[in-house]
Amino acid sequence: MAAIRTFVKNCQIINRNCAVLSPLVQKHGMSQYPSYYIEPVHKKEMQEDLIKSGEIQKLAHLPTKAARNDQSSSFRQDDLVNLFINYVMRNGEKVLARGLVEKAFENIKRIQLEKYHKCDDEEKKAKIELAPRVIFHQAVENCKPILALTPIKRGGVRYQVPVPITPKRSQFLSMKWLIEAAKEKDATMRFHYQLALELIDAANNKGRVVKRKQDLHKQCEANRAYAHYRWS
Amino acid sequence: MLRHLNALVEPSVKYFQANNQWVSVLFTARVEAKTFSTSPQKPEPQLKKNVSKAMKAYLERAKEHDEFMKQQNVEFQIGKRHLANMMGENPDTFSQEDIDNAIQYLFPSGLFEKKARPFMRPPEEVFPQRKAAEFDETGRPYHFLFYTGKPNYYKLMHDIVDHINEAYKFEDTMIRKGIKPDPNLALDMSGFQWIDKESLEAELVETIGDKDYETFSTTMDRLYKLPYSYRSKDFLFKYRKPLMSHEKTYQAPKPQYDADGRAFITTYECLRKRARGHVTIRSPGTGKVTVNNQDLTYFAEVQSREQVSETVLIINNRDVYPFMEELIARPFSKKYDILKKYNMC
């Protein structure tokens, strides 16, 4: 039953994507809004910044999109965390995804607190980061690759050519690898706990994800000779 | 000698003149004989109009259009008076708004396309405006830019450039005097944009291409950005259109008052997916939120709770006094399909 539902959903996704190929829609993908609509600004500080810089004059006369359900103007709101929750989410189960990420943050806090209380050295104690959000940001930052390999065909042979990647793609890869690493776990282990461990490791610049990034960089360095294939 | 001849001939001339006879020949001959000049006098040619058929047809059409418009105007004025009479209003003070209301009352229409509904408007708005005859019978055009094909458009472009050059000249004189431009006088066009292509075409009574419209836009931008553009304020303001502003387009509902004298607003039938609800906001309030006579814990999901409490946050963040209390009644269906919030910039 569930399988049939997912199959139907995938068909719908394919149908939707076919429409995207039409040039008219390609302009702004599957957005319901015309291209001149602007994103809403929730946080009060950001609004005040806009007022100070004078940007608000240009934006005040443009129509804004409706606020999304996961956006709020609370101080606990974090755009990167929301994005991460969306990447964790599968089959539209936002509640589950959000629960998992929140539990992961809770686990990070517990682990860090344990470390903090066990530590005797004052200097080391001060260096232990307790805030899960900070660790999360640090982890994502540390796992971002700079270059990636793309297959380029020359003379019938496919070479893996190192190419630079955009910051957005880099951030996406970082978060995707973190989630993939958290999924590679023992059957008895929980996902949210494994994710917490991965995040803490990545924030300290060690662990599986950072190794994956470094391996990729080594490969890029090794394939340096093919770099000019980018431009043929 | 001639004088005597004249005295003899004159009575008979007068008689024949009265009967429109061939006296004119005699007369002209007499006149010519009197004149003494060295240069030969050219006979005045009869004005024979060498108008080509195309020109004739064009002039005819232009005249026809003018007459047609006049006729339509007369009909419109009479029709307006009839309509006013029908509605029992004073025909002299019957405005366009009154006409629209009367037509809506007399011919109620449920058509979705508003432009397809019956209307009564002055003929200038209904019939596409055509230019008056652009050249005279000899074929000489009145407008000096007629041969560009779009005389009004290019005249407008010339005008903009004239204003730009004037601004440059003025700037030069100010620089020589050592005076800087006053930033307070600088024009602020942040809430405005240039009139759109259709309006410009209607004003110029000419069809212009997209490229021409772009050129117009960029040239106007260039003029507006100059430091002394405020001197051409009237010219610029003619071609600008205000952008929409949320405050002007959105009409806030009026608050009602309950038995305690507290103001409240209830929005009925708020919907999102399959959820339906009514939202009541009271003022002055306590910041408490009640959902279906329960606490905020009615929503098991944190996201839904965040969304509801955000309304309180927004209002408080904007330092709006007094605080608001919210009451949502009867949302049913999936609990996390919360009522969609439209932006509250």
Side-chain angles (χ1 to χ4, degrees):
Chain A
M1 189 60 211
I4 294 167
R5 223 185 296 154
T6 44
F7 173 74
V8 168
K9 221 173 203 173
N10 287 335
C11 282
Q12 284 174 342
I13 290 166
I14 291 164
N15 280 334
R16 256 186 282 147
N17 280 330
C18 283
V20 172
L21 293 173
S22 116
L24 287 162
V25 187
Q26 223 161 21
K27 236 187 181 181
H28 39 262
M30 292 187 279
S31 171
Q32 305 289 325
Y33 296 104
S35 46
Y36 50 82
Y37 270 64
I38 55 169
E39 296 285 340
V41 178
H42 293 265
K43 299 263 177 82
K44 199 184 177 198
E45 302 84 42
M46 294 189 66
Q47 286 180 4
E48 280 174 355
D49 285 339
L50 282 175
I51 294 168
K52 259 189 231 163
S53 68
E55 280 272 322
I56 198 114
Q57 288 299 321
K58 291 182 208 164
L59 301 173
H61 299 277
L62 290 171
T64 22
K65 299 181 188 176
R68 276 187 275 128
N69 283 351
D70 55 0
Q71 289 173 333
S72 82
S73 51
S74 127
F75 68 95
R76 291 158 88 231
Q77 184 77 326
D78 195 338
D79 288 333
L80 202 66
V81 174
N82 278 344
L83 198 59
F84 193 70
I85 291 170
N86 281 343
Y87 290 155
V88 169
M89 172 170 68
R90 289 169 93 205
N91 300 331
E93 292 187 322
K94 182 65 151 260
V95 179
L96 179 60
R98 192 182 159 131
L100 286 171
V101 174
E102 285 199 342
K103 275 205 203 103
F105 282 8
E106 190 193 320
N107 288 330
I108 292 173
K109 187 82 183 197
R110 281 181 193 280
I111 293 165
Q112 294 295 89
L113 270 174
E114 202 183 323
K115 267 191 226 165
Y116 182 83
H117 289 305
K118 278 193 176 163
C119 191
D120 299 317
D121 189 3
E122 280 302 320
E123 263 187 48
K124 279 194 184 165
K125 249 192 172 172
K127 281 193 188 157
I128 294 173
E129 182 56 60
L130 292 170
R133 204 166 292 157
V134 174
I135 287 183
F136 168 72
H137 280 267
Q138 194 60 45
V140 170
E141 192 60 43
N142 287 344
C143 296
K144 278 187 191 170
I146 306 167
L147 296 168
L149 294 169
T150 58
I152 293 179
K153 202 167 174 186
R154 287 275 177 274
V157 182
R158 280 189 186 280
Y159 297 102
Q160 291 293 320
V161 178
V163 294
I165 48 176
T166 59
K168 265 195 172 173
R169 173 133 182 99
S170 169
Q171 183 186 271
F172 165 72
L173 283 174
S174 162
M175 290 204 269
K176 183 179 163 192
W177 290 343
L178 281 162
I179 294 163
E180 279 179 11
K183 284 195 187 144
E184 287 171 20
K185 56 174 181 59
D186 289 338
T188 50
M189 184 74 112
R190 306 304 311 209
F191 168 83
H192 52 82
Y193 192 75
Q194 186 67 28
L195 180 60
L197 293 175
E198 297 293 343
L199 285 171
I200 293 170
D201 279 340
N204 294 328
N205 243 323
K206 43 187 192 195
R208 286 193 277 174
V209 191
V210 174
K211 182 171 180 302
R212 184 171 174 177
K213 174 194 91 166
Q214 285 167 351
D215 284 345
L216 177 63
H217 283 173
K218 279 186 202 148
Q219 274 273 303
C220 291
E221 186 65 31
N223 282 15
R224 224 173 52 197
Y226 304 132
H228 69 285
Y229 282 170
R230 239 179 100 201
W231 302 280
S232 161
Chain B
M1 167 67 181
L2 273 169
R3 218 162 22 89
H4 295 303
L5 254 174
N6 203 8
L8 276 170
V9 176
E10 231 182 63
S12 55
V13 159
K14 276 198 181 140
Y15 167 72
F16 281 122
Q17 224 177 16
N19 295 331
N20 271 337
Q21 300 265 317
W22 38 268
V23 179
S24 51
V25 180
L26 260 172
F27 238 58
T28 45
R30 248 179 12 133
V31 166
E32 271 188 41
K34 255 192 166 175
T35 53
F36 301 102
S37 62
T38 46
S39 59
Q41 212 178 42
K42 259 191 246 165
E44 261 189 56
Q46 285 285 318
L47 255 173
K48 197 179 175 192
K49 295 192 180 165
N50 270 332
V51 190
S52 72
K53 280 206 177 145
M55 188 90 69
K56 226 194 287 187
Y58 173 86
L59 287 169
E60 257 175 50
R61 253 185 286 133
K63 206 170 72 173
E64 251 176 58
H65 179 76
D66 285 335
E67 276 173 25
F68 169 76
M69 288 302 284
K70 258 190 233 158
Q71 176 64 21
Q72 290 294 318
N73 240 317
V74 164
E75 280 182 16
F76 175 76
Q77 293 301 328
I78 292 172
K80 194 166 93 165
R81 294 186 78 86
H82 275 307
L83 187 62
N85 196 19
M86 264 192 263
M87 301 299 288
E89 303 267 349
N90 185 1
D92 295 318
T93 57
F94 207 55
S95 69
Q96 186 58 44
E97 217 183 289
D98 297 327
I99 294 175
D100 290 337
N101 290 337
I103 297 287
Q104 238 180 4
Y105 169 73
L106 291 169
F107 303 101
S109 165
L111 293 171
F112 286 116
E113 178 63 68
K114 301 246 166 103
K115 291 184 195 167
R117 294 182 181 172
F119 62 85
M120 184 170 156
R121 277 201 286 274
E124 285 85 32
E125 291 176 36
V126 178
F127 299 104
Q129 287 298 295
R130 250 193 256 172
K131 291 192 203 170
E134 292 170 272
F135 43 82
D136 58 13
E137 296 111 4
T138 60
R140 189 161 188 269
Y142 294 123
H143 204 292
F144 74 104
L145 289 171
F146 172 78
Y147 289 110
T148 60
K150 294 176 261 191
N152 289 341
Y153 169 74
Y154 284 108
K155 174 82 175 41
L156 172 63
M157 300 305 285
H158 276 287
D159 286 341
I160 305 172
V161 173
D162 280 341
H163 282 282
I164 292 174
N165 287 337
E166 264 178 44
Y168 282 160
K169 261 196 231 164
F170 189 73
E171 200 180 340
D172 285 341
T173 55
M174 293 311 244
I175 289 169
R176 257 181 243 124
K177 289 186 200 168
I179 305 169
K180 288 221 173 94
D182 190 357
N184 295 330
L185 286 171
L187 289 175
D188 184 27
M189 300 267 283
S190 55
F192 297 89
Q193 60 180 18
W194 303 118
I195 56 169
D196 55 312
K197 186 157 167 264
E198 281 82 31
S199 315
L200 187 62
E201 283 185 343
E203 211 181 296
L204 300 174
V205 200
E206 276 165 15
T207 45
I208 56 175
D210 286 331
K211 220 176 171 188
D212 292 331
Y213 177 72
E214 253 181 70
T215 323
F216 161 76
S217 252
T218 44
T219 326
M220 288 297 257
D221 277 332
R222 190 143 157 231
L223 170 59
Y224 146 65
K225 290 200 173 115
L226 294 176
Y228 292 102
S229 59
Y230 60 82
R231 297 177 81 241
S232 319
K233 198 161 61 166
D234 297 325
F235 178 74
L236 282 166
F237 284 11
K238 239 196 316 178
Y239 293 99
R240 75 171 188 181
K241 191 174 76 162
L243 282 170
M244 55 152 270
S245 168
H246 290 298
E247 288 138 20
K248 288 176 195 159
T249 49
Y250 176 70
Q251 278 160 337
K254 295 249 160 54
Q256 298 170 310
Y257 295 91
D258 64 3
D260 301 331
R262 294 163 81 205
F264 73 95
I265 297 172
T266 313
T267 316
Y268 296 99
E269 289 287 314
C270 303
L271 36 80
R272 160 93 174 123
K273 289 190 176 179
R274 295 290 182 128
R276 298 286 179 271
H278 313 304
V279 182
T280 312
I281 300 180
R282 291 179 208 284
S283 157
T286 52
K288 256 187 10 188
V289 178
T290 329
V291 186
N292 276 0
N293 296 323
Q294 285 177 42
D295 203 11
L296 198 58
T297 49
Y298 172 87
F299 296 114
E301 300 80 31
V302 184
Q303 187 178 281
S304 313
R305 292 185 197 172
E306 268 185 3
Q307 282 193 271
V308 174
S309 51
E310 198 210 329
T311 47
V312 183
L313 250 181
I314 287 173
I315 291 157
N316 288 346
N317 270 344
R318 296 187 76 212
D319 299 324
V320 169
Y321 182 79
F323 305 106
M324 301 285 193
E325 176 201 306
E326 207 175 303
L327 168 86
I328 307 173
R330 286 191 277 133
F332 48 85
S333 95
K334 284 189 186 175
K335 287 176 220 159
Y336 40 79
D337 289 338
I338 195 85
L339 307 165
K340 189 167 189 172
K341 294 190 312 303
Y342 287 90
N343 72 88
M344 294 160 79
C345 284

